């Protein structure tokens, strides 16, 4: 089969890790008889430098007309002083909203072989960590009205957290559908003891739950959830939460599974078009130094095969290859521990490719 993939390398370590992921995809194509055509497009800081805007219309059009999007990372200190509308992150947010990618899936799995990289006590981590965060991605505070105004205390700035019933319904359905394929447990994370938007959110979650009698549902306030994630991570299966809380919770999840460098993500919408990216950022300090961990991006490519192209076997082949390379003791710097073999970005990508 033929697939057109828009590739946004972006900024910082973006090009380093994308190079390894496309190498892996080419190998998969070779092995299974698929043709992956990569269309390079600019977004983020590099697009600001070249075209004066983070998300050029041409990039958006190409992304819209492709079968899928693979993204490295955007952002960097260089563009930190720009106004919010002109920053590289705007490219990411623009792609998410313009493409209607409301469901962000972020799996958090502690590989047995990476136990040493997990900061939790053995008695906690040995129970296993394997859950997925389903983060709402096109609503809430990220996209609500915001502004600056004068108050009796002087200048003030404000952002709005707002959710419509339909926005909650569709993300709830995504979460329950995924739970049906896993261990049939959904944990809703909100702040319903304080926020009106959370109270509506929770009521819609409860409504959708009625269609999934086999799924167990519980609710946690977000502050408590951050504690439970480190005290009792094995109790989670599927987490559903808002854009803002999901951003925070998924970073915490990445730490307890060893490194933010191994967590992939899929952003999906109604149209079937998906965007796949590591959850980590552009790490400009290590860009181009062959230090970045390409595993999160490689596993994002695997998610692409699974969710956008329905190539389950191919996706599993990548996951197994990653697992084997880790089993064989190879580590990038971020997950390095005593007795293991440290390798750079390129070598890690090559080892995984060879394993396939
Ligand atoms: C993420 C990132 C983004 C977000 C930033 C870069 C805008 O932190 O994908 O989690 O906040 O969503
Ligand atoms: Mg984040």
């Amino acid at each position: 089969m033929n697939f057109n993939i828009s590739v946004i390398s972006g900024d910082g370590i973006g090009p380093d890790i994308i190079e390894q992921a496309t190498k892996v995809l080419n190998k998969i194509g070779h092995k299974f008889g698929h043709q992956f055509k990569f269309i390079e497009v600019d977004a983020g800081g590099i697009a600001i430098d070249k075209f004066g805007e983070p998300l050029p219309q041409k990039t958006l059009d190409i992304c819209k007309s492709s079968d899928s999007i693979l993204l490295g990372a955007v952002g960097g200190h260089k563009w930190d002083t720009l106004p919010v509308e002109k920053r590289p992150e705007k490219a990411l947010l623009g792609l998410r909203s313009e493409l209607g990618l409301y469901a962000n899936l972020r799996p958090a799995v502690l590989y047995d072989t990476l136990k040493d990289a997990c900061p939790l006590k053995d008695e906690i981590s040995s129970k296993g960590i394997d859950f997925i965060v389903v983060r709402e991605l096109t609503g809430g505070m990220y996209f609500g009205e915001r502004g600056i105004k004068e108050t009796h205390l002087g200048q003030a700035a404000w952002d709005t957290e707002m959710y419509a019933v339909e926005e909650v319904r569709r993300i709830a359905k995504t979460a329950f559908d995924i739970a049906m394929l896993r261990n049939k447990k959904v944990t809703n994370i909100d702040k319903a003891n304080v926020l009106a938007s959370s109270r509506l959110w929770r009521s819609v979650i409860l409504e959708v739950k009625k269609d999934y009698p086999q799924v167990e549902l519980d609710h946690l306030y977000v502050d408590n959830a951050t504690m439970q994630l480190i005290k009792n991570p094995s109790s989670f299966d599927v987490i559903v939460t808002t854009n803002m809380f999901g951003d925070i919770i998924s970073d915490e999840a990445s730490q307890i599974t060893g490194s933010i460098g191994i967590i992939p993500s899929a952003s999906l919408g109604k149209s079937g078009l998906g965007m796949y990216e590591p959850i980590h950022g552009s790490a400009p300090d290590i860009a181009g130094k062959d230090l970045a961990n390409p595993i999160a991006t490689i596993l994002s490519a695997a998610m692409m095969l699974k969710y956008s192209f329905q190539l389950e076997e191919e996706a599993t082949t990548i996951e197994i290859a990653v697992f084997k390379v880790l089993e064989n003791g190879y580590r990038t710097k971020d997950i390095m521990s005593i007795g293991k073999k440290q390798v750079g970005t390129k070598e890690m990508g090559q080892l995984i490719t060879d394993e396939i």
Side-chain angles (χ1 to χ4, degrees), residues 50 117 128 208:
K50 280 193 191 169
V208 173

Side-chain angles (χ1 to χ4, degrees), residues 343-356:
V343 294
T345 312
K346 290 200 172 87
E347 195 177 346
M348 182 55 96
Q350 193 58 49
L351 285 162
I352 293 166
T353 308
D354 293 345
E355 192 61 53
I356 291 167

Side-chain angles (χ1 to χ4, degrees), residues 52-180:
E53 49 181 334
L55 182 58
Q57 189 59 44
K58 191 174 156 221
T59 296
L60 199 52
D61 291 343
I62 293 175
C63 288
K64 276 186 181 161
S65 66
S66 59
D67 298 319
S68 188
I69 303 155
L70 184 65
L71 187 142
V74 297
H77 310 309
K78 186 175 168 192
W79 306 280
D80 272 354
T81 50
L82 291 173
V84 98
E85 285 304 297
K86 295 223 151 70
R87 286 175 61 106
E89 289 82 355
K90 186 69 196 170
L92 209 51
L93 302 180
L95 282 162
R96 290 171 181 173
S97 76
E98 291 286 331
L99 304 174
L101 307 173
Y102 62 83
N104 184 221
L105 316 184
R106 300 185 160 187
V109 181
L110 176 61
Y111 290 116
D112 224 26
T113 164
L114 281 184
K115 272 204 316 268
D116 288 350
C118 173
L120 302 178
K121 282 187 194 154
D122 274 355
E123 64 198 69
I124 295 175
S125 63
S126 61
K127 289 188 199 148
I129 303 177
D130 184 353
F131 62 89
I132 183 165
V133 179
V134 177
R135 170 189 178 192
E136 200 290 325
L137 203 61
T138 52
M141 223 186 301
Y142 275 63
F143 295 96
E145 276 182 44
R146 65 183 98 236
I148 291 178
K149 64 179 178 187
E150 282 306 320
T151 70
H152 68 286
L153 292 171
Q155 199 185 55
W158 54 279
D159 301 273
T160 322
E161 175 83 348
M162 181 164 93
Y163 271 109
V165 169
E166 189 44 40
E167 286 178 293
V168 188
R169 187 174 290 139
R170 63 190 185 187
I171 195 72
K173 277 194 180 143
T174 304
F176 282 105
D177 284 342
I178 290 174
M180 285 299 289

Side-chain angles (χ1 to χ4, degrees), residues 7 16 96 123 132 156 160 187 189-190 195 204 206 223 250 257 297:
V7 175
D16 306 355
R96 290 171 181 173
E123 64 198 69
I132 183 165
T160 322
T187 302
I189 297 179
D190 63 30
L195 303 176
V204 178
L206 282 164
D223 47 350
S250 59
T257 56
T297 317

Side-chain angles (χ1 to χ4, degrees), residues 96 104 106 133-137 142 161 163 189-190 201 222 229 239-254 279:
R96 290 171 181 173
N104 184 221
R106 300 185 160 187
V133 179
V134 177
R135 170 189 178 192
E136 200 290 325
L137 203 61
Y142 275 63
E161 175 83 348
Y163 271 109
I189 297 179
D190 63 30
W201 175 278
V222 63
L229 271 173
I239 287 174
V240 62
T241 192
T242 62
N243 203 346
M244 185 78 251
F245 295 157
D247 181 43
I248 300 165
I249 288 286
S250 59
D251 270 25
E252 187 183 12
S254 76
I279 81 155

Side-chain angles (χ1 to χ4, degrees), residues 284-295:
D285 49 319
I286 59 165
K289 294 188 179 156
D290 200 38
L291 282 174
N293 187 344
I295 291 180

